[in-house]
Amino acid sequence: MGLTQVLLKVKNPANPKKVFEGQFLVDSGTSYTVVPAATLLKLGIKPQGEEEFSLADGKIIKRKVGSALYEMDGIERAAPVMFGQKDDSLLLGVFTLEALD
């Protein structure tokens, strides 16, 4: 089994001209797409709450969550976003994958 990375644009739903573009690891075991909190705040995306997530090793973490627009291959859709912390990777989660078909 190999690793797949894709080029993904993350946009502020209230101001889609604010864009971050990066290489995201596709992770079908992750619900939310993970973007660094500092990047989301620069885009003007604010947290709407905090949720608990279970990692593959069983550890429980808490992360802030919000909403973002995503664009890939000319398709643009909204989906939840997790505010990543220092050591969190750029991950493309299932909710975003489903939204983008």
Side-chain angles (χ1 to χ4, degrees):
M1 186 184 328
L3 301 176
T4 302
Q5 291 196 332
V6 297
L7 187 62
L8 181 70
K9 291 181 182 178
V10 181
K11 302 178 181 184
N12 179 333
N15 184 357
K17 291 182 181 179
K18 291 190 174 187
V19 180
F20 167 76
E21 187 171 20
Q23 289 288 333
F24 284 72
L25 177 66
V26 177
D27 187 348
S28 61
T30 300
S31 297
Y32 286 26
T33 293
V34 181
V35 179
T39 300
L40 293 171
L41 293 173
K42 282 181 189 177
L43 293 176
I45 298 174
K46 297 178 183 174
Q48 297 168 307
E50 187 173 73
E51 295 184 26
E52 288 187 349
F53 299 89
S54 176
L55 301 180
D57 64 3
K59 182 179 175 184
I60 303 295
I61 62 169
K62 285 187 178 183
R63 294 289 187 271
K64 292 179 180 177
V65 296
S67 298
L69 283 178
Y70 299 96
E71 183 181 334
M72 186 171 66
D73 297 332
I75 299 171
E76 183 179 86
R77 300 284 187 272
V81 65
M82 180 191 296
F83 284 65
Q85 293 183 356
K86 182 181 176 186
D87 294 328
D88 294 344
S89 301
L90 289 174
L91 299 177
L92 176 55
V94 172
F95 292 154
T96 305
L97 284 169
E98 288 289 327
L100 293 170
D101 281 335

